């Protein structure tokens, strides 16, 4: 028996082309107090539309399905959602981890193995970054360093690089911090006058811009790196640059 759990409930969606597999996961989810099943589907295309219309926290996704496989769905998902893959074939495990899925469940799925996976999901959620208000001189962030809070001096941030479900923060003394948070989330907590997103995968500290070469930016402390300016971010960066440029 599972003891009462006071953790915030996490919404779940199950996608599997086999009804009996959905039934089993529905049964397992019903036994875990911090999970809430909000939907399921045997049709991956319609399921994709459903979860984009109403995002969920956790997706149980079958790998082998007709018309659109689980791996193909991950390619087009483009959402901040935790994913647990389910399949009867072990050879898909490595492919799944390339997409930064939280866990991989081999069918038939026992409840104890299921519980291990969802606890990993909950821990991953708990370890997401805790940050202060925009403009704060520090960020208190949970990294992959055994879940300990890490204090980052915002003034020392040079580059933030997005890599699937986590980010790399490059500091001015060469240190790199890995944090399991999305670019969208970290962007909320940074001063818009000090930082700018110039690409879907990059946020830069504007004070560290040292050179602009076409659509490439070079920054202090990391001059060997060329940071691209994405097409949809060009106008905002050009507007900032115009304010800083001296004309004769």
């Amino acid at each position: 028996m599972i003891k009462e759990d006071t953790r915030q409930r996490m919404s779940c969606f199950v996608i599997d082309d086999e009804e009996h597999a959905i039934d089993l996961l529905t049964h397992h989810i019903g036994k875990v107090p911090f999970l809430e099943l909000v939907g399921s589907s045997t049709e991956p295309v319609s399921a994709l539309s459903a979860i984009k219309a109403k995002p969920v926290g956790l997706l149980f996704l079958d790998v082998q399905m007709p018309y659109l496989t689980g791996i193909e769905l991950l390619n087009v998902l483009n959402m901040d959602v935790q994913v647990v893959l389910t399949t009867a074939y072990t050879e898909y495990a490595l492919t799944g981890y390339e997409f930064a899925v939280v866990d991989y469940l081999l069918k038939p799925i026992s409840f104890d193995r299921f519980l291990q996976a969802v606890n990993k999901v909950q821990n991953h959620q708990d370890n997401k970054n805790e940050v202060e208000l925009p403009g704060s001189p520090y960020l208190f962030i949970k990294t992959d360093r055994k879940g300990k809070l890490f204090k980052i001096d915002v003034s020392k941030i040079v580059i933030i690089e997005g890599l699937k479900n986590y980010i790399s923060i490059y500091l001015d003394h060469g240190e790199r911090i890995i944090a399991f948070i999305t670019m969208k989330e970290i962007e909320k907590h940074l001063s818009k006058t000090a930082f700018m997103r110039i690409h879907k995968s990059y946020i830069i500290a504007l004070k560290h811009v040292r050179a602009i070469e076409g659509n490439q930016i070079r920054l202090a402390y990391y001059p060997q790196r060329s940071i691209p300016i994405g097409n949809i971010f060009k106008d905002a960066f050009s507007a900032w640059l115009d304010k800083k440029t001296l004309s004769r």
Side-chain angles (χ1 to χ4, degrees):
M1 174 179 282
I2 300 175
K3 295 181 180 180
E4 184 178 356
D5 199 311
T6 59
R7 288 179 284 188
Q8 184 176 358
R9 290 167 70 82
M10 179 178 292
S11 58
C12 307
F13 199 102
V14 179
I15 304 176
D16 198 302
D17 64 325
E18 298 178 333
E19 287 285 2
H20 68 86
I22 291 178
D23 290 342
L24 178 61
L25 284 172
T26 299
H27 174 264
H28 288 349
I29 290 169
K31 294 174 67 176
V32 181
F34 61 84
L35 296 182
E36 178 183 9
L37 182 65
V38 297
S40 62
S41 179
T42 58
E43 299 290 337
V45 177
S46 60
L48 182 61
S49 299
I51 61 177
K52 283 196 171 185
K54 189 175 182 180
V56 296
L58 173 59
L59 177 63
F60 292 96
L61 178 62
D62 186 27
V63 175
Q64 280 206 320
M65 295 181 291
Y67 307 115
L68 186 69
T69 69
I71 300 302
E72 290 169 339
L73 189 146
L74 282 177
N75 267 315
V76 299
L77 187 58
N78 193 29
M79 290 179 64
D80 182 18
V81 59
Q82 300 200 73
V83 178
V84 172
L85 288 180
T86 64
T87 185
Y89 302 93
T90 57
E91 60 264 29
Y92 290 106
L94 182 59
T95 303
Y97 283 117
E98 290 174 357
F99 285 89
V101 301
V102 180
D103 208 345
Y104 180 99
L105 294 176
L106 190 63
K107 298 177 181 180
I109 302 167
S110 64
F111 180 68
D112 61 331
R113 181 64 184 88
F114 173 85
L115 189 58
Q116 182 183 4
V118 296
N119 277 325
K120 186 184 294 186
V121 169
Q122 185 65 46
N123 290 336
H124 189 271
Q125 182 70 22
D126 290 343
N127 285 341
K128 281 194 171 183
N129 303 33
E130 298 178 0
V131 293
E132 296 183 355
L133 296 174
S136 168
Y138 298 99
L139 301 180
F140 288 89
I141 192 166
K142 285 184 179 179
T143 70
D144 60 344
R145 301 179 179 187
K146 300 182 180 179
K148 292 182 179 180
L149 280 172
F150 193 86
K151 184 178 181 180
I152 297 178
D153 184 340
V154 174
S155 68
K156 296 185 178 299
I157 296 175
V158 181
I159 307 167
I160 299 174
E161 182 180 11
L163 301 163
K164 293 191 182 293
N165 294 331
Y166 64 96
I167 61 173
S168 289
I169 302 173
Y170 295 85
L171 305 180
D172 62 12
H173 54 278
E175 186 175 9
R176 178 191 179 202
I177 307 297
I178 304 288
F180 290 94
I181 189 172
T182 63
M183 292 284 279
K184 183 178 180 181
E185 183 63 24
I186 193 68
E187 193 174 12
K188 294 178 187 176
H189 303 282
L190 296 171
S191 166
K192 287 181 170 47
T193 59
F195 293 88
M196 181 178 290
R197 189 165 185 174
I198 61 164
H199 187 275
K200 66 179 182 179
S201 300
Y202 292 102
I203 296 171
I204 62 168
L206 293 168
K207 71 176 183 179
H208 291 309
V209 173
R210 288 295 177 267
I212 303 162
E213 304 165 354
N215 289 328
Q216 303 287 322
I217 296 174
R218 293 192 183 275
L219 300 161
Y221 303 103
Y222 296 90
Q224 73 281 6
R225 294 193 63 169
S226 293
I227 309 299
I229 304 172
N231 288 333
I232 64 173
F233 302 95
K234 283 181 180 178
D235 289 346
F237 183 76
S238 294
W240 172 83
L241 185 61
D242 286 344
K243 292 179 182 178
K244 301 296 180 182
T245 302
L246 296 176
S247 58
R248 292 183 178 181

